[in-house]
Structures are given as C-alpha cells and as structure tokens.
Amino acid sequence: MTELAQVNILETDLNVLPTREGAIVVFATPDGKLDQGARKVSTLMKKTVARVVESDRFEKAKIGDVLTIAFPVGMAASKVLVAKLGRRPSVEEARKTGASIAKARGTDDVLILGGATSRLADVAYGCALRGYTFTPHKTADEDGVGAIDVMANAPADVQAASDVMMAVAEGVVFTRDLTNEPANVLTTTEFANRLQDMENIGLTVEVLEEDELEKLGMGSLLCVGLGSASPSKVVVMQWNGGGDEAPFALVGKGVVFDTGGISLKPAGGMEDMTMDMGGAGVVSGVMKTLALRKAKANVVGLVGLVENMPSDRATRPGDVVTSMKGDTIEVINTDAEGRLVLADVLWYAQERFKPTGVINLATLTGAIIVGLGHENAGAFSNDDTLCNKFLKAAGAEGEGAWRMPMGAAYDAKIKSRIADMKNVGGRDAGSITAAQFLQRFVKDDMPWMHLDIAGVASVKAETALAPAGATGWGVMALNRLIADVYEAKDS
Ligand code: BES
Ligand code: MN
Ligand code: ZN
C-alpha cells in the first residue's frame, strides 16, 4: 500500500525559516504581492523572491505554477518555490498549485508558508495526490516522499478541512494501487483479502465464494471465470453510518485480467488489461474514504472479481448461460465479459439491499475511448435527477463525465435468436448497447447510472492530480455525491 505524504498543519512561525531544510513554498499573487512569509524569505535571500516576481517568467507563468530557486542564498533550504496564486483561489487553482509543488519538490520535505491564503487544505491535498508514485515493484531503495508541512494563520480551520480531504486522498490512493497492480499479484483472492482488511476501519466485509455464487444462480458472472485458475468471488462491503434507511449501492467490474477469453484479444497492448478491475477499484476506494471520514450515510459496495482466461474449461462463443435474474444470455463474444459480471452483481445488489439507487462503474468498452477519449467517462442513466447530481459532483471535483443516450432502438440490437438476449450488439454504438445490456438487469423504478471508465481509469499521460497510470477517477466525485445528497443534512 502506497503511503501518502504526511500532512502537518502548523501555526505560522517565521523564526524557523533560516535553518529549515528541504523545500519552502511562498505565495505571490498574480499582480506580484508577497505576503508576510514571502517577504521574510525574500529578505533572507537578499530580495531574490522579489526579483523573481518582477521577472518575465513570473509574468508568463499561469496561476498555480511554481518557479524554483535552487540552493537559495541565506537559507538552509534546498530550494524556494514561488507559487503564483491569488489570496482567494478556486479549489481547482489551489489543487493545481499543490500538484506543481509536488513535482518541483521531488522527495524533499516541503514547508508551505500559507499565511492567510484560503484553501490551504486543497493545496496540501493536490500536493499529496500528485506526489503519488507506484513503487512496490521497484527494487532500488527509494526514499519515501517527505512530509508536507503547512504553516497557516488559522491552523485549526485548515486542519479540519484537511482531515476530510486526506480521507478522500487515502481512498484515491487505494484505488490507484489496486488498479496499477499487475494481475499475477492482484489475483481475485488477493483483491478480496485487501478488501477484507478494511474491516479494521469499520467496514463490514463479506466474501462470497464460488459455491455460494452458484447457489445464488449467478451463471452469468461465473461463466467468465471458468477458464481461470483463480476463483471467482463477489465481495460485499457495507458502511452503515446513517440511520436505518435503505443504502445506496455502488457496483464495480473487477476483471483482474481480461485476455478476452476464447475471443482472444490481440497481443499488442493486452498488458493494459491489468486495469480491467478499475471499476471495482473505485468502489473499494470510495468505501475506504466513507469509513475513514465516518460518513453519515448507508452505502453498500459490491464488486465482482473474476479473471477472463481461455482454457479447455472456458466459456465458448455461442454458449448460453442463465443469469441470477433468470434471463438467458447467448455469449456471442467472450471478450464482452464485464457486462456478464455486472448483470449478476447488479441483480444481487437490488434483491438483497433494496437500495435507494445504484451506480455501477466499469472499464466496459473500448468504444467509449473512441467516443470520449481520456477526458471524460461515459455516463448512462435511467434517472435525470441522479445523473445530474453526479455530473455536478464530478464537475466540482474536476473529474470529467459526459452523458450518453440510451433507448429502445439500441436495446433492439441485443436481441438473440435463441436466448433472451446476446452479450454484444455489433460495432455500432458499442458503449450504448453495453449500457442497454446492463439496464436489463436494473429494476424498473430503480434510479441507476452506469459509468464506463475505460478511458479514464488508467492513462498514459499525467493528469492534473496524478502521474501516468491509474488515476483513481471517480472516487472524489462519488464521495462528494454521497456527501451532498445522501448524508444527514443536519451536519
Ligand atoms: N475490458 C474491455 C474494455 C476496455 C478496452 C477497457 C480498452 C479498457 C481499455 C472489455 O471487456 C472489452 O473487451 N470490450 C470489448 C467489447 C466488444 C467485444 C463488444 C471491446 O470494447 O472491444
Ligand atoms: Mn473484454
Ligand atoms: Zn474487460
């Protein structure tokens, strides 16, 4: 488990500055004003900060950028970072500044001279999240990342905000670690064990094994894992921080590796399918955050953990399986396996928990990447209210999502000649026919949304708050949705 940088919120004490080692961050407003801390540092450095702020480079820098002064004269610090930021930044600006600080400081300890600037907790949060690296399989001794100290004029307020945000960051990092982990390490069993460990933080965790899944009639989910030596599992995580109301349900696709099965994928890029459990990873990260921040809501997270492998026991194209709901499915393409997993977990979630709503997340289709690239997840929903609330939460957290259409004409594409439906609808509108398939396992009046995160769960280029690789996309948005909509309004 990757350790996040430690965040310490301190009272402002400018006397430590001359002898303080590591990186020191000072703020300069876009019109070049230095606060008290920045002026003190500038004085110690024979006015270098003032010179930086008057320079062309500062003028050209964007809000949230930092300029680095290495080996500053008159100080013990390794570098002084001049951050261009207004006194009342937006959340996005504050987090971007934190991300810039993370990149500029490397692994050095950092002291952020926050003074009276607002949203300092967001600066620290951006710094902690962007400082994430996935190193468990690097053998060289890597120094862990240094602490983030923030000096603030109102430390108690910053501390309170930071405590909540760091609970979210822990969830994001949990998701990233799961999603980055290779499939020989993160088997279905290892995944279930890591979730079981969250009993320590107050979640109720159950692991349903294959014999129980068979008794429940999950023929659709089980057919995906038949070719694998790793057993299929469903893990149920419950957080009951609310009253006695019905829970909200989160459901995740947890294909620990997707070879395509007998409908084998091409070799090029197949290694990326180690992230095909990204939906389950997000559900797990959200559950972790809710527990760490003791959310006043009832939420249940369910993940279907399987491995899609070809073998003599694997499901064949043309096979017909029976879902827990009772509907039969003709498996035309064994590479359209995520929907087969979700069908049964969605049904089980509704039957057992009678939730007030369901959101499922899945790296479901390559087609959503063709449509939306890596900037937005595809959002599909039968409920405008739920969907709009989610899109609003995602927007506030800077996590892109774009609503896609659904409808009967798309549903007609998955009619089967010999069974109740088939698992693919042809090349056209591949992400939408996948969503139509899922909707067949959603009860009529159940508010539901499907998030196709194939393009956003793991990316090749860095994003605002993450290096290349797993992003943890969705943890922040879902946490905010639950906080805004489902938590007790009196707090
Ligand atoms: N896991 C893949 C989708 C995917 C593709 C995720 C690229 C992340 C990056 C999914 O199981 C899959 O194989 N979908 C097929 C569906 C097709 C057979 C109808 C696809 O998108 O090609
Ligand atoms: Mn597949
Ligand atoms: Zn898949």
Side-chain angles (χ1 to χ4, degrees):
M1 170 74 199
T2 301
E3 294 264 341
L4 268 175
Q6 171 82 37
V7 173
N8 306 305
I9 313 295
L10 312 164
E11 268 181 46
T12 301
D13 174 8
L14 302 181
N15 295 322
V16 306
L17 292 175
T19 54
R20 168 84 192 201
E21 295 180 0
I24 297 181
V25 179
V26 299
F27 291 121
T29 62
D31 58 358
K33 291 210 180 62
L34 302 178
D35 64 9
Q36 202 191 359
R39 286 201 304 272
K40 170 85 192 239
V41 170
S42 193
T43 305
L44 288 169
M45 290 172 66
K46 302 195 194 302
K47 306 281 179 217
T48 318
V49 176
R51 276 184 62 200
V52 167
V53 168
E54 282 156 19
S55 72
D56 239 25
R57 274 183 56 208
F58 184 80
E59 168 89 43
K60 284 188 187 130
K62 297 197 183 72
I63 291 176
D65 285 350
V66 304
L67 300 183
T68 302
I69 308 164
F71 305 110
V73 67
M75 301 185 71
S78 60
K79 43 193 140 177
V80 167
L81 309 175
V82 182
K84 183 169 179 174
L85 189 68
R87 297 271 158 84
R88 298 280 169 271
S90 67
V91 169
E92 195 187 347
E93 289 168 346
R95 290 180 183 178
K96 181 185 168 190
T97 305
S100 304
I101 294 168
K103 288 196 273 181
R105 73 148 167 163
T107 53
D108 288 1
D109 288 340
V110 63
L111 169 63
I112 299 173
L113 281 182
T117 297
S118 58
R119 302 207 197 279
L120 291 172
D122 280 287
V123 176
Y125 177 78
C127 187
L129 275 182
R130 184 59 186 78
Y132 171 90
T133 48
F134 184 68
T135 55
H137 307 294
K138 298 269 195 191
T139 54
D141 280 352
E142 300 218 5
D143 306 339
V145 64
I148 302 169
D149 289 351
V150 181
M151 282 187 180
N153 294 356
D157 297 350
V158 180
Q159 184 75 60
S162 184
D163 287 345
V164 179
M165 285 184 212
M166 292 314 289
V168 183
E170 290 288 347
V172 172
V173 163
F174 189 54
T175 301
R176 288 181 187 172
D177 277 352
L178 290 167
T179 307
N180 279 325
E181 201 69 275
N184 61 330
V185 175
L186 194 76
T187 59
T188 55
T189 302
E190 172 65 16
F191 199 150
N193 288 344
R194 291 192 191 185
L195 299 185
Q196 192 103 61
D197 285 348
M198 290 205 291
E199 296 224 301
N200 294 336
I201 55 170
L203 288 166
T204 306
V205 183
E206 288 161 76
V207 181
L208 308 184
E209 304 289 350
E210 273 181 3
D211 51 345
E212 294 157 271
L213 303 179
E214 254 158 51
K215 274 189 224 138
L216 288 164
M218 293 199 189
S220 180
L221 178 141
L222 284 167
C223 89
V224 176
L226 290 178
S228 171
S230 293
S232 299
K233 296 169 195 279
V234 170
V235 181
V236 182
M237 296 163 271
Q238 293 183 65
W239 174 254
N240 291 313
D244 48 15
E245 76 271 15
F248 191 80
L250 300 173
V251 172
K253 167 182 173 181
V255 176
V256 296
F257 196 77
D258 181 13
T259 65
I262 298 297
S263 311
L264 193 64
K265 285 182 181 297
M270 201 203 276
E271 69 279 5
D272 291 343
M273 286 303 115
T274 183
M275 54 69 109
D276 208 20
M277 34 51 65
V282 174
V283 171
S284 307
V286 174
M287 297 309 294
K288 179 160 204 169
T289 289
L290 296 177
L292 288 176
R293 70 173 182 80
K294 301 198 168 20
K296 294 194 176 79
N298 294 341
V299 179
V300 57
L302 302 99
V303 294
L305 306 180
V306 303
E307 185 178 40
N308 189 20
M309 294 287 259
S311 93
D312 59 329
R313 284 152 298 131
T315 296
R316 291 158 290 254
D319 285 1
V320 174
V321 298
T322 303
S323 65
M324 180 182 173
K325 181 186 175 192
D327 289 358
T328 58
I329 304 161
E330 184 186 10
V331 181
I332 298 292
N333 189 322
T334 64
D335 197 13
E337 84 296 342
R339 63 199 76 179
L340 297 173
V341 173
L342 289 172
D344 278 339
V345 186
L346 279 168
W347 194 255
Y348 177 73
Q350 294 166 91
E351 286 279 287
R352 175 165 168 195
F353 293 103
K354 311 271 182 286
T356 55
V358 186
I359 295 179
N360 73 256
L361 296 102
T363 49
L364 204 64
T365 66
I368 202 70
I369 310 176
V370 176
L372 299 176
H374 301 285
E375 318 307 320
N376 285 288
F380 302 80
S381 185
N382 62 359
D383 188 284
D384 293 350
T385 309
L386 173 64
C387 190
N388 288 336
K389 283 176 179 163
F390 175 81
L391 293 176
K392 193 170 157 229
E397 295 290 350
E399 293 180 324
W402 195 260
R403 189 167 184 182
M404 302 284 288
M406 297 189 71
Y410 296 109
D411 186 76
K413 304 278 252 178
I414 56 172
K415 278 189 186 138
S416 162
R417 180 176 59 85
I418 65 167
D420 296 337
M421 72 195 86
K422 55 185 181 181
N423 77 330
V424 293
R427 231 175 76 84
D428 299 353
S431 302
I432 306 176
T433 52
Q436 295 294 158
F437 182 96
L438 297 180
Q439 194 177 7
R440 287 184 177 224
F441 298 89
V442 174
K443 296 190 178 186
D444 277 345
D445 297 323
M446 179 61 60
W448 161 77
M449 181 166 59
H450 153 54
L451 292 165
D452 191 337
I453 62 170
V456 295
S458 182
V459 295
K460 304 277 182 217
E462 67 168 326
T463 49
L465 295 180
T471 61
W473 183 99
V475 174
M476 301 195 302
L478 288 167
N479 174 64
R480 178 178 286 266
L481 176 76
I482 290 158
D484 288 355
V485 182
Y486 296 95
E487 273 182 67
K489 289 289 178 282
D490 58 4
S491 61

